[in-house]
Amino acid sequence: VMEAGGAWILAGQVNLYRRINELVRKEGKEPVLHSWWAALPPPFDLIVGLRQVHFLAKYWAERRGEEWEGDQVAEYYFPFISSERFTLREFVLTPSLWFWFTKDMADIEIGGYGPKSDPKK
């Protein structure tokens, strides 16, 4: 029963993230979430959850014709919440996305590969 409940919650989250991306696409914008991140272990699954709340709030403010007043938590303290869509690799290697106190840190390179480099080259 517990496993089935967990699977149900996971499927619901993936569907929610997919539907948010559809709403954003209808507005002519790029998708903001990677739905499959819901299947990652904590804290990575939490990242996409926080992002979906932020982008859904922005979407509905825009739809209601309201001016976006900002989101201090998402736009200052935890920039990963409000930033453009990123890959898991980009997140791990880009400390400026993590917290307000890491916003000025340089990207991390491992073996000559940074967050935006192509590992196939």
Side-chain angles (χ1 to χ4, degrees):
V1 173
M2 294 295 287
E3 290 84 8
W8 180 260
I9 290 169
L10 177 61
Q13 287 299 102
V14 170
N15 185 47
L16 176 63
Y17 303 155
R18 182 187 59 76
R19 292 178 69 191
I20 290 169
N21 280 339
E22 286 177 9
L23 290 173
V24 172
R25 271 193 209 102
K26 285 181 184 178
E27 298 293 318
K29 299 176 183 173
E30 291 294 315
V32 293
L33 306 170
H34 290 290
S35 301
W36 60 269
W37 278 39
L40 293 174
F44 297 108
D45 62 336
L46 178 65
I47 290 169
V48 75
L50 293 169
R51 287 174 56 77
Q52 65 97 15
V53 169
H54 173 77
F55 285 106
L56 198 54
K58 281 185 80 169
Y59 171 82
W60 282 112
E62 187 175 303
R63 293 283 296 174
R64 289 190 301 260
E66 298 173 358
E67 185 176 331
W68 180 249
E69 295 180 17
D71 179 345
Q72 187 74 2
V73 172
E75 296 166 357
Y76 177 74
Y77 292 109
F78 303 100
F80 65 85
I81 296 173
S82 62
S83 67
E84 297 294 318
R85 187 175 178 183
F86 50 81
T87 65
L88 183 58
R89 178 176 170 203
E90 288 170 335
F91 177 72
V92 170
L93 297 177
T94 311
S96 60
L97 290 176
W98 302 346
F99 307 104
W100 73 100
F101 57 86
T102 62
K103 68 181 173 82
D104 296 324
M105 290 178 66
D107 291 349
I108 298 169
E109 287 195 18
I110 298 174
Y113 297 108
K116 301 272 186 201
S117 60
D118 184 358
K120 296 175 187 168
K121 291 184 178 180

